[in-house]
Every structure is written in C-alpha cells, then in structure tokens.
Amino acid sequence: MDRVITKEMLKSQNINKYKFKVLAIGGHNDAIEDTQTHAQGELIHNETASAAPAASSRDDLVESLLKKTDEISSNFIKIQIKLEEQEKLFKEELDKVKKEAYEQGVAEGKQAFEAEIEMSKSEAMEQF
C-alpha cells in the first residue's frame, strides 16, 4: 500500500486520531448531516485548541526540566564540595600517619642504636 504522507513530510504534518460520533438509530437525515458538520467543526476547533495547550504544556515541560536540571547541578556541586573536603581530610590524616610513623621509626632506631652501643660497651668492658 502506497503512503500518501512520506516520512519526510510526516514531521511537518499534524495528524490526530478522528473520533466518530455515535448517531441515534432512527434519526433524520438532517440530524445526521448536522452532527457530521458539527463533528467536523469540533475537529477543526480541537486541532486549533490543541495547538495552544500543546505549546503551553511544552513550555511547562521545559520549565520543569530546567528546574530539575538546576536541582541536579546544585546537588552535583554540593557533592563535589563534599568530595573535596573528604580529600582534604584524607590528606591531613595521611600526613599525620606519615609523621607518626616517621617519629616511631626514629624512636625505634634510637633504641636499637642505644642497645647496640650498650652491647658493644659491655663487650669492650669484658675484653678490657
């Protein structure tokens, strides 16, 4: 089946689903014609009216997305600040641990040196 509207033209077309009105059985031909013209008028009115709410709903959607984007970016900035604070705390803790380990190594070195000197002293006293 051939398409009347191609995919390229589909973007520029406004296609809405048509809803048929239920007609009463046993009605007059004039009533049927009136309801058909009324339905066509409603369809035209709905198409023009739906364009305005679509634009306003699109604007509302854009506004809500912008608000969410701002909220997400502010949360991201807060998290980044917290991360930088944590990095600073970890660096301070690392420097503190390094300093304590250095001081402990110096103290152990002094003790080992003193023990070695004491031992060599005692050996020297024995030899003397």
Side-chain angles (χ1 to χ4, degrees), residues 71-87:
E71 189 177 310
I72 289 171
S73 63
S74 66
N75 287 341
F76 179 75
I77 291 170
K78 288 177 186 177
I79 290 173
Q80 191 174 14
I81 290 170
K82 285 181 182 178
L83 178 65
E84 289 172 359
E85 290 174 358
Q86 285 292 87
E87 286 178 349

Side-chain angles (χ1 to χ4, degrees), residues 38-52:
H38 182 67
Q40 288 173 352
E42 282 183 5
L43 179 64
I44 293 169
H45 176 71
N46 287 342
E47 286 178 358
T48 57
S50 66

Side-chain angles (χ1 to χ4, degrees), residues 11-127:
K11 295 176 184 174
S12 64
Q13 301 293 323
N14 185 11
I15 301 172
N16 293 325
K17 186 174 181 180
Y18 181 77
K19 295 182 181 178
F20 291 96
K21 271 196 164 184
V22 178
L23 302 175
I25 298 177
H28 299 294
N29 288 339
D30 293 337
I32 293 172
E33 289 176 9
D34 287 342
T35 56
Q36 287 177 347
T37 56
H38 182 67
Q40 288 173 352
E42 282 183 5
L43 179 64
I44 293 169
H45 176 71
N46 287 342
E47 286 178 358
T48 57
S50 66
S56 66
S57 67
R58 186 178 302 143
D59 291 341
D60 293 341
L61 177 65
V62 169
E63 284 295 320
S64 67
L65 289 175
L66 285 174
K67 286 180 184 177
K68 288 181 182 179
T69 304
D70 289 341
E71 189 177 310
I72 289 171
S73 63
S74 66
N75 287 341
F76 179 75
I77 291 170
K78 288 177 186 177
I79 290 173
Q80 191 174 14
I81 290 170
K82 285 181 182 178
L83 178 65
E84 289 172 359
E85 290 174 358
Q86 285 292 87
E87 286 178 349
K88 184 178 177 182
L89 290 174
F90 289 149
K91 187 176 180 183
E92 289 173 358
E93 186 69 27
L94 181 64
D95 290 341
K96 182 181 172 183
V97 169
K98 281 183 180 179
K99 186 177 179 181
E100 288 176 0
Y102 177 79
E103 290 173 359
Q104 183 181 2
V106 169
E108 288 176 1
K110 283 182 181 179
Q111 287 177 355
F113 182 70
E114 287 175 2
E116 189 177 315
I117 289 180
E118 192 65 38
M119 205 178 201
S120 65
K121 246 190 204 181
S122 63
E123 286 178 5
M125 290 297 262
E126 284 178 14
Q127 287 178 359

